[in-house]
Amino acid sequence: MAVMEQTQTARFLRAVRGESVDVTPVWFMRQAGRYLPEYRAIRSRLSLLEICARPEVAAEVTLQPVTRLGVDAAILFADILLPLVPMGLRLEFQAGEGPVIHNPVRSPADVAALRPIEPRESLAGVLETVRLVRGALAGRVPLLGFAGGPFTLASYAIEGGSSRQFLATKRFMYGETRAWHRLLRRLSDAVSEYLVAQIEAGAEAVQVFDSWVGALSPADYTQYVLPHSRRIFERLRAVGVPTLHFGVGTGALLELLQQAGGDVIGLDWRVPLDEGWRRLGPHARLQGNLDPALLFAPRAELERQVRSVLAQAEGRTGHIFNVGHGILPGTPVDAVRAVVDLVHQLSA
Ligand code: CP3
């Protein structure tokens, strides 16, 4: 079944560097989580934040999809919002509502009150998870660390939760521009230090999820966000592990995301991969981009669209197969497993 000529670690890390691979590496954003029965079993006893605070449990949850699915990378089990807590924001995940921040950032004074973080102290549990997972994987597949991007973290800090229009965020950005830049500077400093600490603890690549940055026009992205994202990637370049940069709905921003940084640019399903390479250049490395809703489709349609993603990659080096946004709750596990096998078979 699975082609094992290259170790899976080599497969992923070679693709990230744009080198040839035996088969296309595949992993899934949100590959750990509610669609897995073994995750739900743990979640019935512990809240999301409790899981994140218990390294042995978080490590187990990180490894569940690796064992179950045969993916080519593990992603640390944590959440992008965790660093906001030591900065001084009171975060809670409410059932059915998603994240809630009880004291959102609404004024320049709120920005000034945010604390710088020392991730080795305040996020020590996450770093311990990294060490435990890295040890347990024993080189089978690489471990990815991650953090939120500056716009996305700012949006949760300001809105106090999830949002559709990002109106409070944009009002702050346009109306309190100096404080906005101070906020993004603090967030990007925190993210940089946090990612460096994850790498020290054993993460072999890191992904920045600026999930909601597609809400901005190219001009606003350039003015209000890009310098801060660039600082993160510049800091990481000094450390020398591969970086991945992802957002949803970024069809109008791809070149700008690339300018901000990241060895690999993640695409959602709205931009065909071949268009991605046309726009970002033949040496670009791209991750994506199956619509996660296809995991609910009849098997023939799922297979047709997996083939179509691989056909757009045309065997180029530097493709990492993934969904175009995270796996959705309720996704049938056997469909996810089938995609892993199909990607490996078809690209062999
Ligand atoms: O498997 C993995 O991908 C690793 C774990 C992971 C989680 N969150 C755990 C989680 C990762 C990479 C994230 C990233 C994350 N968190 C993002 C960026 C990725 C994306 O989807 O765009 C964002 C925006 C968040 C913030 C967040 N966390 C929201 C909005 C929610 C509630 C909505 C939802 O999806 O449930 C969460 C909760 C969350 N984080 C869950 C998991 C497994 C579900 C919570 C549960 O078990 O109750």
Side-chain angles (χ1 to χ4, degrees), residues 29-34 39 43 48 75-81 93 98-99 146 152 156 162 209 211-212 325:
M29 294 185 281
R30 298 295 194 96
Q31 67 189 14
R34 283 163 299 186
Y39 174 79
R43 234 344 231 105
L48 177 66
I75 180 159
L76 167 68
F77 191 84
D79 195 86
I80 62 163
L81 303 179
F93 285 93
F146 71 92
T152 300
Y156 285 101
S162 300
F209 286 91
S211 297
W212 311 133
H325 195 189

Side-chain angles (χ1 to χ4, degrees), residues 1 88 95-96 114 125 128 131 144 191 196 228 247 253 295:
M1 202 189 28
L114 292 173
E128 179 60 16
R131 282 186 284 270
L144 311 189
V191 161
V196 168
H228 303 284
L253 305 178
L295 294 162

Side-chain angles (χ1 to χ4, degrees), residues 52-53 55 76-78 82 123-131 194 198 201:
C52 293
L76 167 68
F77 191 84
L82 297 183
L123 295 160
V126 177
L127 303 177
E128 179 60 16
T129 303
V130 172
R131 282 186 284 270
Y194 181 40
Q198 290 181 30

Side-chain angles (χ1 to χ4, degrees), residues 93-104:
F93 285 93
Q94 290 180 351
E97 308 235 351
V100 175
I101 288 164
H102 294 289
N103 56 339

Side-chain angles (χ1 to χ4, degrees), residues 286-314:
L286 300 182
Q287 175 169 280
N289 66 346
L290 190 77
D291 186 335
L294 279 162
L295 294 162
F296 296 82
R299 198 51 60 88
E301 178 63 5
L302 173 60
E303 180 169 338
R304 188 181 73 79
Q305 299 236 20
V306 169
R307 286 178 186 275
S308 156
V309 169
L310 289 171
Q312 285 163 25
E314 288 182 301

Side-chain angles (χ1 to χ4, degrees), residues 4-20:
M4 292 301 273
E5 289 158 24
Q6 272 172 11
T7 69
Q8 288 176 299
T9 296
R11 185 181 294 159
F12 176 89
L13 293 173
R14 286 180 63 87
V16 165
R17 291 191 297 256
E19 297 166 3
S20 64

